[in-house]
Amino acid sequence: QVELVESGGGLVQAGESLRLSCAASGIIFSNYAFAWFRQAPGKEREFVAAIKKSGDTTHYADSLNGRFTISRDNSKSTVYLQMNSLQPEDTAVYYCAAGFTIAAIHADLGSWGQGTQVTVSS
């Protein structure tokens, strides 16, 4: 079965950086695209970033203003989200999702992790 485990969340101050990890198992890692989503208290789930199975194409939410970077390491079956210049509005539970394509993930056909909490204080 597919298993995705997020880690790396925590409490940071505004302006600091954090790197999230998503460790995948139960799949052929290189055959899957991955994405990060986040959900703040009282708000809808929001797309953050995605990366194709080849790793050479990435997509980001326009609202991030270039602060986040998604990457993958096939040798470790792990996807990362580097978050720089964090702001209080970035506070949310961050979720990792995997699917055969990025489109499949957006169509709710992917698998999801349990999430990791990111809290940014001002």
Side-chain angles (χ1 to χ4, degrees), residues 10-19 67-68 81-88 90 118-122:
L11 174 63
V12 298
Q13 295 185 344
E16 296 182 339
S17 299
L18 206 59
R19 188 180 74 162
R67 297 181 295 114
F68 290 9
L81 183 67
Q82 179 66 44
M83 306 184 295
N84 298 325
S85 301
L86 285 164
Q87 301 299 313
D90 295 317
V118 173
T119 303
V120 185
S121 63
S122 60

Side-chain angles (χ1 to χ4, degrees), residues 58-77:
T58 57
H59 300 278
Y60 299 94
D62 291 339
S63 61
L64 297 177
N65 298 124
R67 297 181 295 114
F68 290 9
T69 302
I70 187 172
S71 62
R72 64 191 293 160
D73 185 342
N74 286 3
S75 69
K76 297 181 179 180
S77 295

Side-chain angles (χ1 to χ4, degrees), residues 72-112:
R72 64 191 293 160
D73 185 342
N74 286 3
S75 69
K76 297 181 179 180
S77 295
T78 301
V79 177
Y80 303 97
L81 183 67
Q82 179 66 44
M83 306 184 295
N84 298 325
S85 301
L86 285 164
Q87 301 299 313
E89 54 264 36
D90 295 317
T91 295
V93 177
Y94 284 71
Y95 297 92
C96 176
F100 290 119
T101 64
I102 294 175
I105 296 173
H106 284 300
D108 290 328
L109 297 177
S111 299
W112 295 79

